[in-house]
Amino acid sequence: MRQKTSRSTIKEVALAAGVSTQTVSRVINERPDVSPETRKRVQEVIDQLAYRPSAVARSLIRQRSHTLGVVTAGLKYIGPSRILSGIASAVEEAGYSLLLKELSDFDTKEIEPIFEAFISRHVDGIIWAVPEVGDNRTWVKEASLDVEIPLVYLTMQAQENISVVSVDNYLGGKMAVSHLLEQGFKHIGHISGPLDWWEARQRMTAWKDVLNENGIKVKDEHSVEGDWSLSSGIEATKKLLNQYPDVDAIFVANDQMALSAIQYLRQNGRRVPEDIGIVGFDDIPESEFFFPPLTTIQQDQNTVAKLAVEDIIKTIESGWHKLEPKEPQTIIVPPTLVVRQSSLHLRGIHEKEVEIK
Amino acid sequence: MRQKTSRSTIKEVALAAGVSTQTVSRVINERPDVSPETRKRVQEVIDQLAYRPSAVARSLIRQRSHTLGVVTAGLKYIGPSRILSGIASAVEEAGYSLLLKELSDFDTKEIEPIFEAFISRHVDGIIWAVPEVGDNRTWVKEASLDVEIPLVYLTMQAQENISVVSVDNYLGGKMAVSHLLEQGFKHIGHISGPLDWWEARQRMTAWKDVLNENGIKVKDEHSVEGDWSLSSGIEATKKLLNQYPDVDAIFVANDQMALSAIQYLRQNGRRVPEDIGIVGFDDIPESEFFFPPLTTIQQDQNTVAKLAVEDIIKTIESGWHKLEPKEPQTIIVPPTLVVRQSSLHLRGIHEKEVEIK
DNA sequence: CTGAAAGCGCTAACAC
DNA sequence: GTGTTAGCGCTTTCAG
């Protein structure tokens, strides 16, 4: 028969089992110093009353909530939700709960109240999984100064006194552009993300650096700024073709823009990869099934999430107190180049000849 | 100067302000019965010490946590994350916090521990935002029987004694197929989602019903089951063309499969929409920029999320107790047909002639 | 208007 | 082994 009245307390269990609350506490915490018979009797009562210890009361007395605060932004995009998914399962696995806050705007100033809510709920640690846009990093750093709680940042520029876990965007950019060069492309343009995003700047800098290292002059009109969206991919491509007519390959800062770029190019009589090679960034599910399939840089966001959770929990469980300065960790995860058809120039040339015949 | 020691308590504030903790409590709760001078003095101390009342202690004494438990699954897909995003902002707006659990598997049996964790943390209500797959609904219903907490289900079959907020999948399916008929298509096939999903069955049933109502015989080989993924869209299309050679239009149960279907058709020399019309379901961002742009059914998941949150908070704040049987709410949100090029047969015929000339 | 006392559900520290 | 006492940080009586 089910217990349908309100949640039962340790007192009620104690009463029903004829022991003190302390003994019940010992049983539910699996302490050794309880006689087998007592334990059994208490356990039976617990099962019968469907008693569940109150995590709230425990948090109060233990000054530990076994809860992590997680801040995200842009959940409607695929990247942030994949990260959150990774965080959620890692947190779960570690036996913690997850208190979620979503920032409605990337560079919002509602950072204070978020920290306050977390503190007031006694979270044991905070994971800041908001992309670095504009100077939101500065605000967070500011706001986090009087937070005496372990804090890890995701996808943010590594810096002193701050623990960061991130994919190596710069390396990814280098891999993409080097690959295009190896394929024999000579005039490699770039469609960047919004340049107030740190990730976008990293990818763009990598593009410039690789070209420079290979003795290729980079001019301003060789790149166009997009905003990550499909529609901006079309606009940017149009503009780039215009201001850089010689372009024979484009490193596009994310897959969505790359996909719409390909679409636009094909509709305008440019073949991919024969006329123009394309490399994207992210490896979204669509990329593999596009025509032509998109060469791209794969970010292992699951690993990033796991590492961040592991790191913060290690800090928590080591009993770190803000008083001692902590040694911040910087973990950079390398991305992977996934080669598909959209960038295969060498082979593309042959296909071209065959088709033309 | 910043306060760098550990969190301050109401006691410390009281001491520093020379009043009792009770008075401090009155100030932070904005009770009227405090003299202006006292209030001011206390407020100053609060600001100076950066005092934040402990939500944990409050939850304990008030037996209300101002926290909602939310369960999702499949966060790596775009649909669930959009819903979660809507939930998160609605919850925030209502002044609640959000405790998140992700089910690793749609038909997992780890439901019990999730409820237990929520109960133990004294959540005021639970939002079950996991798609109905297989008989997971039954398990949840089972597990929720002894949960004396307001509970709302998202995207689930409406039923007795359960509050449900959902998009009208059946209506969406009808809109899609009716639209294709109006466009003059005669042989409308269907690529469904996995049929252990309730949503997939709803959409499929609608397809059948509309055809039947219009005197069209539906045979088994007129539909193929996919699994929502891009790759399954290709497989399913191949199979459908094979077993239903006359097919001149396809209602595809989600946009991802629709996109890869279009891709496959075009690569195999079938023009969309001239030879085959396509309608999808979901309206993902890509659909608008595809070639041809995809006609689809738009689900307003944000509205669904908002309604669910509003409903549960209303129940909570009405002081509902499980003892009284509650009158469950069923809210069905209608979807919208978004017409783009992929389904325009009437116009398509003219274009065809023009092109051929 | 303000304070003292009691207690939310649990556990730590000590007694027995 | 088990019970008693005290108290986590706050709010709710109820006096004054």
Side-chain angles (χ1 to χ4, degrees), chain A residues 55-67 96 119-125 148-150 316 319-321, chain B residues 6-9 12 54-57:
Chain A
V56 173
R58 275 183 171 165
S59 303
L60 190 58
I61 196 159
R62 291 197 177 145
Q63 302 293 54
R64 279 279 312 279
S65 63
H66 270 265
T67 300
Y96 280 68
I119 292 178
S120 136
R121 289 197 148 70
H122 295 226
V123 300
D124 296 335
E148 296 140 34
I149 292 178
I316 292 169
W320 170 79
H321 281 277
Chain B
S6 70
R7 190 199 329 286
S8 40
T9 71
E12 292 163 22
S54 158
V56 173

Side-chain angles (χ1 to χ4, degrees), chain A residues 135-193:
Chain A
D135 52 353
N136 67 1
R137 179 192 68 197
T138 318
W139 295 335
V140 184
K141 214 180 148 185
E142 191 72 19
S144 69
L145 277 180
D146 33 28
V147 172
E148 296 140 34
I149 292 178
L151 191 48
V152 171
Y153 296 85
L154 253 53
T155 310
M156 194 174 256
Q157 182 158 12
Q159 55 186 282
E160 265 192 288
N161 258 327
I162 285 198
S163 283
V164 173
V165 182
S166 175
V167 162
D168 195 334
N169 282 281
Y170 182 77
L171 176 59
K174 285 198 126 177
M175 292 164 95
V177 180
S178 303
H179 167 70
L180 284 172
L181 283 174
E182 281 161 20
Q183 288 293 317
F185 292 105
K186 304 289 183 203
H187 307 282
I188 302 175
H190 179 50
I191 295 177
S192 75

Side-chain angles (χ1 to χ4, degrees), chain A residues 3-253:
Chain A
Q3 183 68 13
K4 296 290 289 186
T5 51
S6 70
R7 189 200 328 286
S8 40
T9 70
I10 197 171
K11 235 188 211 164
E12 292 163 20
V13 175
L15 193 70
V19 296
S20 74
T21 61
Q22 187 44 231
T23 302
V24 179
S25 173
R26 284 184 182 112
V27 171
I28 59 186
N29 288 292
E30 292 170 326
R31 295 279 165 68
D33 49 354
V34 183
S35 77
E37 309 99 68
T38 312
R39 183 184 301 279
K40 182 158 170 288
R41 187 151 37 93
V42 171
Q43 191 57 55
E44 279 170 13
V45 176
I46 288 176
D47 294 343
Q48 210 237 307
L49 295 181
Y51 165 70
R52 301 289 163 246
S54 158
V56 173
R58 275 183 171 165
S59 303
L60 190 58
I61 196 159
R62 291 197 177 145
Q63 302 293 54
R64 279 279 312 279
S65 63
H66 270 265
T67 300
L68 257 35
V70 175
V71 189
T72 48
L75 262 194
K76 61 185 162 194
Y77 301 107
I78 193 69
S81 24
R82 271 155 93 180
I83 292 218
L84 178 59
S85 175
I87 294 177
S89 59
V91 167
E92 197 70 29
E93 208 169 302
Y96 280 68
S97 286
L98 190 168
L99 214 46
L100 179 73
K101 299 271 170 195
E102 184 177 19
L103 232 48
S104 51
D105 189 1
F106 284 113
D107 42 33
T108 176
K109 272 158 180 149
E110 20 169 279
I111 295 175
E112 282 276 346
I114 288 186
F115 279 109
E116 292 192 358
F118 280 160
I119 292 178
S120 136
R121 289 197 148 70
H122 295 226
V123 300
D124 296 335
I126 297 177
I127 299 181
W128 187 266
V130 179
E132 179 175 340
V133 177
D135 52 353
N136 67 1
R137 179 192 68 197
T138 318
W139 295 335
V140 184
K141 214 180 148 185
E142 191 72 19
S144 69
L145 277 180
D146 33 28
V147 172
E148 296 140 34
I149 292 178
L151 191 48
V152 171
Y153 296 85
L154 253 53
T155 310
M156 194 174 256
Q157 182 158 12
Q159 55 186 282
E160 265 192 288
N161 258 327
I162 285 198
S163 283
V164 173
V165 182
S166 175
V167 162
D168 195 334
N169 282 281
Y170 182 77
L171 176 59
K174 285 198 126 177
M175 292 164 95
V177 180
S178 303
H179 167 70
L180 284 172
L181 283 174
E182 281 161 20
Q183 288 293 317
F185 292 105
K186 304 289 183 203
H187 307 282
I188 302 175
H190 179 50
I191 295 177
S192 75
L195 291 174
D196 52 343
W197 286 57
W198 170 69
E199 296 168 90
R201 290 196 300 278
Q202 288 289 298
R203 294 171 196 179
M204 179 161 189
T205 306
W207 164 71
K208 271 189 191 149
D209 287 357
V210 171
L211 293 186
N212 280 333
E213 284 162 18
N214 284 272
I216 300 175
K217 258 272 176 46
V218 178
K219 293 189 188 160
D220 276 355
E221 58 267 32
H222 294 177
S223 71
V224 176
E225 181 175 351
D227 69 2
W228 302 129
S229 77
L230 288 146
S231 59
S232 88
I234 291 179
E235 291 313 312
T237 309
K238 195 186 295 184
K239 199 169 157 195
L240 188 64
L241 288 180
N242 229 18
Q243 66 189 41
Y244 189 13
D246 287 346
V247 65
D248 65 353
I250 312 176
F251 165 43
V252 188

